[in-house]
């Protein structure tokens, strides 16, 4: 894992810890509208990541078998990530970023660097 990826994970971890420490976030009731909006955003984010993963594999000319060999992920898992709304673990994300020779930020479409 690269130094920038480790920095990303550290920042994400710190953000989650900070959110957990904020009592009003943990106890404030969510409105039905907030839940719908949050679910829509999650769905959009997953679709975007899936599309990026498909494009990365295609532009590098890799088969599912080749990605499996480089990442240790099963072919079904790779397919599900690309086409079936499957959530990625941090380890899977790191393995795919390494395989496709990109930064994790590029797959997620975010930039946590300041």
């Amino acid at each position: 894992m690269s130094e920038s990826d480790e920095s990303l994970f550290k920042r994400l971890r710190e953000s989650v810890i900070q959110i957990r420490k904020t009592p009003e976030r943990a106890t404030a009731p969510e409105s039905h509208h907030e839940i719908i909006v949050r679910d829509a955003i999650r769905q959009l984010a997953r679709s975007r990541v899936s599309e990026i993963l498909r494009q990365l594999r295609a532009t590098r000319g890799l088969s599912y078998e080749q990605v499996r060999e480089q990442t240790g992920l099963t072919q079904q898992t790779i397919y599900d990530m690309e086409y079936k709304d499957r959530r990625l673990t941090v380890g899977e994300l790191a393995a795919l970023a390494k395989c496709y020779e990109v930064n994790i930020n590029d797959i997620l479409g975010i930039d946590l660097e300041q």
Side-chain angles (χ1 to χ4, degrees):
M1 189 177 314
S2 73
E3 210 171 295
S4 65
D5 291 342
E6 288 179 24
S7 173
L8 169 67
F9 291 133
K10 181 179 177 186
R11 285 183 177 178
L12 287 172
R13 189 177 319 111
E14 289 169 357
S15 295
V16 169
I17 290 169
Q18 186 62 36
I19 289 170
R20 288 181 178 164
K21 288 180 180 178
T22 310
E24 64 274 5
R25 291 271 306 178
T27 60
E30 294 180 344
S31 72
H32 180 66
H33 178 71
E34 288 173 335
I35 293 170
I36 290 172
V37 169
R38 185 172 293 128
D39 287 345
I41 291 169
R42 285 180 183 144
Q43 179 63 36
L44 183 62
R46 281 189 211 140
S47 295
R48 185 182 181 291
V49 168
S50 293
E51 178 65 27
I52 289 170
L53 291 173
R54 284 193 300 272
Q55 290 174 356
L56 285 168
R57 188 176 56 76
T59 58
R60 284 165 175 66
L62 297 173
S63 67
Y64 286 114
E65 177 64 22
Q66 290 170 314
V67 175
R68 183 196 66 75
E69 289 172 358
Q70 291 184 37
T71 63
L73 302 171
T74 67
Q75 289 182 28
Q76 186 63 52
T77 297
I78 299 162
Y79 177 85
D80 289 350
M81 288 176 194
E82 290 184 2
Y83 291 100
K84 292 196 174 187
D85 273 349
R86 186 185 179 284
R87 294 177 70 162
L88 284 78
T89 67
V90 173
E92 292 166 341
L93 183 59
L96 289 167
K98 182 178 179 183
C99 174
Y100 298 138
E101 299 175 345
V102 296
N103 189 293
I104 288 174
N105 293 349
D106 297 330
I107 295 174
L108 295 177
I110 59 174
D111 188 8
L112 294 178
E113 303 297 320
Q114 292 184 8

